[in-house]
Amino acid sequence: MEITKELVEYVATLSKIKVDDAFSEKMQKELGAVINYMEILNQVDTKDVEPLSHVFSINNVLREDEVMPSHNRAELIKNAPQHGETTFIVPKAVE
């Protein structure tokens, strides 16, 4: 596929960016190099290669939920400098 000046200008319009002639020529060369590299990759024989969704095999690593006793709320709250009956009292952060 050939990257033309018109194609670069079209992509620039879609991207809502302004390009001058020097930048357009530079993008033609760079985008052309990318497309040429993709053509090389398209020639690689991948007939016997299994498609992957990820490089590593992924197994579910989550554990089962276990109900465990929580800390004693009264013991936790009594350690706070200021507290209500069941809550911590903190300085106001937003005016």
Side-chain angles (χ1 to χ4, degrees):
M1 175 180 188
E2 183 182 347
I3 305 297
T4 63
K5 181 178 180 180
E6 290 78 23
L7 182 60
V8 171
E9 289 173 357
Y10 176 68
V11 171
T13 302
L14 291 177
S15 304
K16 298 186 179 191
I17 58 175
K18 293 181 181 177
V19 295
D20 58 10
D21 288 339
F23 185 75
S24 179
E25 288 178 21
K26 179 181 176 186
M27 284 295 99
Q28 276 182 263
K29 292 176 186 172
E30 290 182 6
L31 292 173
V34 171
I35 297 297
N36 289 338
Y37 185 72
M38 291 298 122
E39 290 298 327
I40 293 170
L41 291 178
N42 283 336
Q43 296 173 5
V44 174
D45 180 23
T46 58
K47 181 178 68 171
D48 296 326
V49 177
E50 181 181 340
L52 299 174
S53 62
H54 198 277
V55 178
F56 303 108
S57 62
I58 299 177
N59 298 321
N60 189 355
V61 294
L62 300 176
R63 62 174 171 74
E64 293 294 323
D65 288 337
E66 295 179 27
V67 178
M68 300 174 63
S70 175
H71 295 284
N72 183 332
R73 181 180 296 193
E75 290 291 317
L76 293 174
I77 290 179
K78 79 176 187 179
N79 292 318
Q82 294 182 344
H83 57 84
E85 187 176 323
T86 59
T87 58
F88 294 105
I89 298 175
V90 297
K92 190 173 185 178
V94 178
E95 293 296 325

